[in-house]
Amino acid sequence: MSTGGTGRPEADRGEKGGVRTALAGLTTRGRSFFAAGIAAAICAYVLGQADLLRVGLLLAVLPLVCATVLYRTRYRVAASRRLSPARVPASSEARVHLRMDNVSRLPTGLLMLQDRVPYVLGPRPRFVLDRVEAGGRREVSYRVRSDLRGRYALGPLQLRLSDPFGMCELTRSFSAYDTLTVIPRVEPLPPVRLTGEAKGYGDGRQRSLALAGEDDVIPRGYRYGDDLRRVHWRSTARYGELMVRREEQPQRSRCTVLLDTRGIAYRGAGPDSAFEWAVGGTASVLVHMLERGFSVRLLTDTGSSVPGEGADGFAGASQESADAAGLMMDTLAVIDHSDGTGLSRAYDVLRGGNEGLLVAFFGDLDEEQAAVAGRMRQRSGGAIAFVLDSDVWGREPNDVPGPMNRTQERLRMLREAGWTAVEVPRGASLTALWQQADRLRTGVLSAGGTGTGEAR
């Protein structure tokens, strides 16, 4: 759970502005009382009736006094917001907790709260709070839900103050707001061994010496509990702080998940579109590989890599998997189509033969981009591709299927290049396709099954 900021209503600048704000908050009842008082005072002056004059002044002064008192008490209420949780998968609910504290020595009147939320999350919540005693607090909550991933601002909270007579209502906005991150839905995947190697999924991790001589030492800052015999005095003298040898580095299996975000590769929009399926599939594979002990990074067709820390953009060995997953999920929450037309930038990021497992989600591929994707296979230890055809995803369920020669040709090119390529039908389950890719890899897929092909 994340705790939102605490704030107080913003103050009006200048005395004249404050007076205008207070008078503008007069309700219909307050304006009627004021108008009746002025009219009674004028009639009393014309008719010479002193009693009527006193009544008129009372009617006119009452709403002004209520507005003045209400305006002076606007600073004495503090509010805070708490999200539970602050990062939620699409189509799941999050709860927003609001807390109001009366920090003055006097009880408040009627309080009306309204929190600003984007329309995607639902209607604006409104609450009515009765009298809050001095030093007291009130807590209310509401739920938000979105089928669309993204980052949404909640707030600022609006507070409407009202006097006991209903003469004046003033609305104030708090300065604090919070951000709700809606991430793609993650589908649990079975632990198959797509790489065909014993070192996958965190099994059989090896440790290798990081120094072949005194000049190859990789020092780091001293941490409590480090053996003093590992202090590297030359680096300590150079940096002016205690440095120790980082002699051993755990070698983790690597996995790069490539997401094709080209706008020309997808058609359609909405939660059921091909692009959203690719984003959700990317999130599922990232979380799965992190849970299996891989060092993972997210790569897009634009060449951008996340998390971007450690060697070559992979999550460092000392970085917690939860932190790396959160960073990549936040990126996928707001990722959108790119203006690029090719995959060459992503190809340039991949190094030759040292990338480990490569899992890619491709949109429409022409012959040129299929060739570029084929060359990526040479820069990875293993490669799995999920290919989404816009024609298939854009077709209605009752439409007659058209020729699939183009898609089959692209799959053939990828398989000949060494990819384990799987076609993604509309609305398919990633779990089933993940298992299908494993069967294609191991060569036990039946000849009559869908998406048959030679195991690579």
Side-chain angles (χ1 to χ4, degrees):
M1 296 184 295
S2 70
T3 304
T6 302
R8 297 188 179 185
E10 297 178 348
D12 296 310
R13 298 181 179 179
E15 182 179 356
K16 294 182 178 179
V19 173
R20 286 195 298 266
T21 302
L23 294 178
L26 291 176
T27 62
T28 302
R29 178 185 300 176
R31 296 175 186 272
S32 300
F33 267 66
F34 183 75
I38 295 298
I42 294 176
C43 293
Y45 177 78
V46 173
L47 300 177
Q49 296 290 330
D51 294 337
L52 182 59
L53 179 60
R54 286 191 290 268
V55 173
L57 292 177
L58 177 62
L59 295 177
V61 170
L62 179 60
L64 298 179
V65 172
C66 292
T68 302
V69 173
L70 192 62
Y71 178 76
R72 292 298 180 183
T73 60
R74 72 191 187 282
Y75 302 106
R76 300 179 182 178
V77 178
S80 63
R81 182 189 296 103
R82 179 168 52 88
L83 306 182
S84 176
R87 185 187 292 117
V88 62
S91 301
S92 299
E93 289 186 345
R95 182 172 289 275
V96 183
H97 301 268
L98 301 177
R99 171 178 165 178
M100 300 296 302
D101 292 273
N102 182 13
V103 297
S104 65
R105 298 181 179 179
L106 298 176
T108 67
L110 189 67
L111 301 179
M112 287 168 281
L113 304 180
Q114 176 178 282
D115 205 8
R116 292 185 179 181
V117 300
Y119 71 94
V120 178
L121 301 181
R124 289 188 176 182
R126 294 180 176 88
F127 304 94
V128 178
L129 302 181
D130 293 332
R131 177 179 177 272
V132 181
E133 65 278 4
R137 69 179 61 169
R138 296 290 185 271
E139 294 186 4
V140 294
S141 64
Y142 64 94
R143 296 178 180 179
V144 290
R145 178 181 180 273
S146 174
D147 294 330
L148 301 176
R149 57 183 177 83
R151 188 175 288 119
Y152 304 99
L154 300 179
L157 180 67
Q158 290 182 330
L159 174 64
R160 181 177 297 177
L161 306 175
S162 178
D163 67 280
F165 301 101
M167 298 289 180
C168 182
E169 289 183 355
L170 295 181
T171 302
R172 294 290 178 265
S173 295
F174 290 83
S175 57
Y177 68 93
D178 291 271
T179 301
L180 176 68
T181 303
V182 180
I183 62 176
R185 286 174 290 184
V186 174
E187 187 174 348
L189 300 179
V192 300
R193 180 171 294 171
L194 290 171
T195 60
E197 301 175 1
K199 65 180 180 180
Y201 301 96
D203 298 333
R205 296 184 191 176
Q206 301 175 355
R207 301 177 66 87
S208 62
L209 291 179
L211 64 107
E214 186 68 16
D215 295 335
D216 295 328
V217 172
I218 305 176
R220 62 167 173 82
Y222 175 82
R223 299 172 186 170
Y224 179 77
D226 286 337
D227 190 351
L228 292 178
R229 291 175 295 181
R230 295 176 56 192
V231 174
H232 191 251
W233 298 108
R234 181 180 300 178
S235 299
T236 299
R238 178 185 304 173
Y239 295 103
E241 60 177 330
L242 208 58
M243 306 292 289
V244 297
R245 293 183 179 91
R246 185 166 50 187
E247 298 177 353
E248 295 183 355
Q249 297 294 326
Q251 298 296 320
R252 305 177 68 189
S253 300
R254 289 182 170 185
C255 176
T256 299
V257 183
L258 172 62
L259 175 60
D260 181 9
T261 63
R262 296 173 299 140
I264 61 175
Y266 302 93
R267 282 180 288 178
D272 298 327
S273 64
F275 181 69
E276 292 300 323
W277 192 97
V279 173
T282 301
S284 301
V285 173
L286 286 171
V287 172
H288 176 72
M289 302 307 288
L290 282 172
E291 291 176 349
R292 303 305 297 175
F294 275 71
S295 182
V296 182
R297 70 173 172 181
L298 169 65
L299 181 64
T300 66
D301 59 289
T302 61
S304 61
S305 177
V306 180
E309 299 179 2
D312 306 313
F314 287 89
S318 61
Q319 184 174 0
E320 295 293 338
S321 297
D323 296 337
L327 181 58
M328 289 184 283
M329 287 296 137
D330 290 344
T331 302
L332 291 176
V334 296
I335 200 168
D336 201 355
H337 292 293
S338 68
D339 297 330
T341 58
L343 303 172
S344 58
R345 293 184 179 178
Y347 172 77
D348 294 337
V349 175
L350 299 175
R351 300 190 308 165
N354 195 26
E355 293 302 313
L357 178 64
L358 175 61
V359 182
F361 291 84
F362 293 121
D364 290 336
L365 295 173
D366 55 22
E367 185 175 357
E368 178 182 358
Q369 300 310 316
V372 175
R375 292 195 296 270
M376 292 181 182
R377 173 62 182 86
Q378 303 173 0
R379 299 193 170 188
S380 62
I384 302 97
F386 298 94
V387 183
L388 294 88
D389 188 356
S390 294
D391 293 336
V392 175
W393 283 77
R395 187 187 309 119
E396 295 297 330
N398 297 329
D399 293 347
V400 179
M404 304 300 295
N405 295 333
R406 186 187 64 175
T407 303
Q408 297 300 329
E409 177 64 20
R410 302 298 178 257
L411 292 174
R412 183 190 63 81
M413 293 179 62
L414 293 177
R415 288 166 181 166
E416 289 181 351
W419 285 83
T420 301
V422 179
E423 181 185 356
V424 181
R426 181 177 181 178
S429 169
L430 179 60
T431 301
L433 296 178
W434 189 253
Q435 295 173 331
Q436 178 182 340
D438 179 47
R439 293 193 298 268
L440 282 171
R441 176 71 181 176
T442 56
V444 298
L445 182 64
S446 61
T450 59
T452 57
E454 182 183 359
R456 297 287 177 180

